[in-house]
């Protein structure tokens, strides 16, 4: 895949929602926005991470906020360009590439919108290899790349630039602005050189999204097992199959926080799984015992169709299979664990990984 | 007064605290910051408003936040310059003058610090002729001058630029950032041309501050009545003399909000006055009947010394005289009343003015 056409968007959105581990936004909304942008501006060139030149100016763009809000207050196309242009002006630099900050149903496709609008190529990579809720939680932070100067823009035309002493301060100030802007905003941050991008990003994410999305679609067409195909491709494992019997969800401090209870089915009958989330799934417990946790991926998929169920989309009665898959190995370094391990989120447990 | 030397600072701080109507920051802190800046960089040229050229680039600077916090978390000198430089860079313009956004013990002297640091002249004027708690509450708003692009900076080195669709949005986003920054921050906003400054600012504020401060000082030296001298100079009237018997104060939503009860003394014995404030005094009620309200000035002065008592400085047992003085007439237009009249602050009364 060397360019993204309208025909690719369904698969990318489907696959990105899986890597989004419950967050990163609704794939339906991501696909709508990207379809419209590609229809208006034409296909987007996709550049492998290894081909980005040292001096490239790479700008990630993303939605920030609570996915529960994004499904009701849709981002505007203008907002995407506004965030990128505001930062480019502040930096006084000519942009050469757009990138993805994270993988997710919206956040893998917002960069497609930006690239189409600005007529720039998109880098086939992202900053996490998954989605995480806070903006300092990207691999570039581990490489000392600063989140700021960053821009933030809302659908009304308000915009701002933040330039902070560290990435945690960027998160704090941007989160407050996001809440004021109505709990969802467009951001552009971690502007970096091509050399920095090659070192710090996760390569091939958009291709992987397309591949996952296509595998799920094909497995369905062949009456196969879409969930098994995802597990196989990601090198993960099935944790639990069950029915959603309770969802406690509140949108607080700008996040969708809560937990979902699943009552076991099939081989898991008689057991219960609890998924704890902050935009993304953070910990999966079976009968009170953690089975997987950040930084590894916990994905909740429709048991039959293999489609990802986002945390804001969890509903009573859904039949789902929960799978775990290994995160980029850099997330398992002590610095990675400090940044996005279970203790950062207030769970007093060591990370529960995915056995190889 | 064509330049501000160290010798002027005491009087300016004292007079500014009177015009600050309880807000605008502690005059002691304002004087400390300005003394240090003038000692390091030399006297600051003071330019009458009428002499500012059409094409001048005038930048107001101020502290934003809760005065209750400012007395504990002092602004840093670097912070003042950081706010002004951040905005100048974003604007891509060469600054020619610094100005005051409001009158107040800190906010009349922060611009002296900025002017000294940047080697620029200071305009003898301000945006209100008094202090008000929210940033859209300046006369330039009535002339359609935008608050943004504005900058905000804290003492840790965090900074940002906001560019909003209106001045109310600027207040909202800047207030949240101020709260995150610890409830006080340095801002620079309402960048304007010399022509706009001449039209929209209140002329002569710094000279008036110096004059008021000197009148109070001299009246004290002559064993006269400092409060009467202030009333006379401002064309105001005494409302009440009493002892502070209760202060209810809380720092919420980034403001010092509350009310103070005074038990009458001298000719006011047997009566009670309640002062309601949000950083600044908003309404003064005598035995439940409003005697004065925004937009006019309500100043609480030490009964003996004539020194202003700021809202964060109100303490049980203080003997004070409350006076009212007329605001700039533009505040009494329907637009001015909408912007900063009692109903904006939630008091369902018409403005109670000062009889001529």
């Amino acid at each position: 895949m060397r360019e993204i056409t309208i025909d690719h968007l369904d698969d990318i959105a489907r696959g990105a929602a899986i890597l989004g581990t419950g967050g990163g936004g609704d794939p339906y909304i991501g696909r709508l926005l990207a379809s419209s942008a590609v229809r208006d501006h034409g296909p987007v060139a996709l550049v492998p991470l290894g081909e980005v030149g040292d001096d490239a100016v790479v700008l990630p763009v993303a939605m920030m906020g609570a996915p529960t809000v994004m499904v009701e207050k849709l981002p505007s196309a203008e907002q995407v360009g506004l965030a990128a242009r505001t930062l480019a002006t502040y930096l006084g630099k000519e942009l050469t590439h757009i990138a993805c900050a994270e993988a997710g149903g919206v956040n893998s496709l917002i960069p497609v919108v930006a690239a189409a609008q600005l007529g720039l190529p998109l880098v086939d990579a992202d900053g996490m290899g998954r989605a995480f809720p806070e903006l300092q939680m990207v691999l570039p932070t581990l490489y000392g790349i600063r989140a700021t100067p960053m821009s933030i823009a809302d659908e009304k035309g308000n915009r701002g630039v933040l330039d902070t002493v560290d990435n945690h301060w960027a998160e704090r100030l941007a989160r407050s602005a996001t809440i004021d802007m109505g709990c969802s905003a467009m951001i552009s941050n971690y502007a970096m050189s091509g050399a920095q991008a090659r070192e710090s990003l996760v390569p091939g994410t958009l291709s992987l999204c397309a591949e996952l999305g296509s595998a799920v679609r094909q497995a369905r067409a062949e009456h196969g097992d879409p969930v098994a195909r995802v597990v196989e491709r990601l090198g993960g494992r099935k944790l639990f199959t069950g029915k959603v019997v309770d969802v406690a969800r509140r949108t607080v401090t700008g996040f969708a926080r809560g937990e979902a209870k699943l009552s076991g089915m099939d081989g898991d009958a008689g057991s219960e799984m609890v998924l704890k989330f902050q935009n993304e799934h953070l910990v999966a417990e079976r009968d009170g015992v953690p089975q997987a946790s950040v930084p590894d991926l916990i994905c909740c998929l429709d048991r039959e169709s293999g489609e990802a169920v986002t945390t804001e989309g969890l509903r009573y009665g859904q039949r789902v299979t929960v799978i775990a898959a290994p995160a980029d190995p850099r997330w398992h370094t002590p610095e990675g664990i400090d940044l996005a391990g279970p203790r950062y989120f207030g769970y007093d447990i060591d990370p529960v990984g995915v056995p190889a």
Side-chain angles (χ1 to χ4, degrees), chain A:
Chain A
M1 187 169 64
R2 293 306 299 241
E3 67 170 18
I4 296 177
T5 66
I6 289 194
D7 294 338
H8 295 114
L9 296 175
D10 261 5
D11 284 342
I12 293 176
R14 180 179 297 116
I18 296 170
L19 294 182
T21 67
D26 187 280
Y28 178 72
I29 294 170
R31 194 165 47 76
L32 278 184
L33 289 166
S35 303
S36 163
V38 172
R39 197 174 302 117
D40 290 352
H41 304 282
V44 168
L46 189 67
V47 179
L49 184 58
E51 292 181 15
V52 177
D54 279 358
D55 299 332
V57 178
V58 181
L59 202 62
V61 292
M63 288 293 293
M64 180 163 184
T68 36
V69 169
M70 282 180 219
V71 293
E72 301 194 357
K73 181 168 89 75
L74 300 189
S76 77
E78 293 70 34
Q79 197 182 348
V80 184
L82 187 59
R85 283 196 309 275
T86 299
L87 185 56
T89 305
Y90 186 83
L91 293 171
K93 287 183 180 171
E94 190 89 30
L95 306 180
T96 64
H97 297 75
I98 296 295
C100 300
E102 68 176 10
V106 165
N107 274 340
S108 290
L109 290 166
I110 284 290
V112 174
V113 177
Q117 275 187 12
L118 302 172
L120 292 173
L122 180 61
V123 181
D124 188 5
D126 84 304
M128 308 182 195
R130 48 164 297 160
F132 273 125
E134 302 184 13
L135 78 72
Q136 75 281 7
M137 296 173 176
V138 294
L139 293 171
T141 294
L142 299 184
Y143 291 86
I145 300 172
R146 295 179 56 218
T148 69
M150 70 168 280
S151 62
I152 183 162
D154 71 12
E155 74 292 348
K156 295 170 280 293
N158 294 308
R159 58 199 183 279
V161 176
L162 296 171
D163 205 343
T164 58
V165 293
D166 63 34
N167 294 355
H168 284 271
W169 270 104
E171 160 66 25
R172 184 162 165 180
L173 293 170
R175 189 68 54 184
S176 293
T178 297
I179 292 171
D180 281 330
M181 287 171 166
C183 262
S184 81
M186 197 66 63
I187 60 170
S188 187
N189 54 9
Y190 293 98
M192 60 181 89
S193 69
Q196 288 176 314
R198 289 204 314 276
E199 178 181 60
S200 67
L201 298 183
V202 179
T205 315
L206 284 162
S207 298
L208 175 59
C209 291
E211 200 186 321
L212 282 172
S214 145
V216 166
R217 179 169 46 79
Q218 286 179 12
R220 264 202 317 256
E222 298 156 5
H223 304 287
D225 181 347
V227 173
R229 295 282 284 273
V230 172
V231 169
E232 186 192 337
R233 177 61 186 86
L234 294 179
R237 62 185 174 113
K238 282 194 192 182
L239 292 181
F240 196 81
T241 294
K243 186 176 95 161
V244 178
V245 291
D246 196 17
V247 184
R249 183 167 35 214
R250 49 201 200 291
T251 302
V252 282
T253 64
F255 297 103
R257 291 175 189 265
E259 56 179 59
K261 282 205 182 90
L262 316 181
S263 174
M265 297 168 58
D266 306 342
D268 298 307
S271 281
E272 187 181 77
M273 173 156 276
V274 175
L275 297 172
K276 299 180 173 181
F277 55 83
Q278 174 184 335
N279 290 8
E280 283 76 30
H281 294 300
L282 305 175
V283 177
E285 288 178 358
R286 182 194 180 107
D287 298 329
V289 181
Q291 303 295 305
S293 79
V294 279
D296 280 338
L297 287 70
I298 299 168
C299 316
C300 184
L301 308 179
D302 182 281
R303 186 179 62 147
E304 299 298 327
S305 71
E307 297 284 330
V309 181
T310 57
T311 54
E312 78 276 14
L314 283 165
R315 298 282 181 278
Y316 178 88
Q318 287 167 335
R319 269 74 171 166
V320 297
T321 297
V322 180
I323 69 166
D328 185 285
R330 291 170 285 185
W331 284 118
H332 284 284
T333 60
E335 298 73 25
I337 299 292
D338 280 352
L339 195 57
R343 287 203 169 77
Y344 179 88
F345 294 102
Y347 301 100
D348 193 20
I349 55 169
D350 289 323
V352 185
V354 181

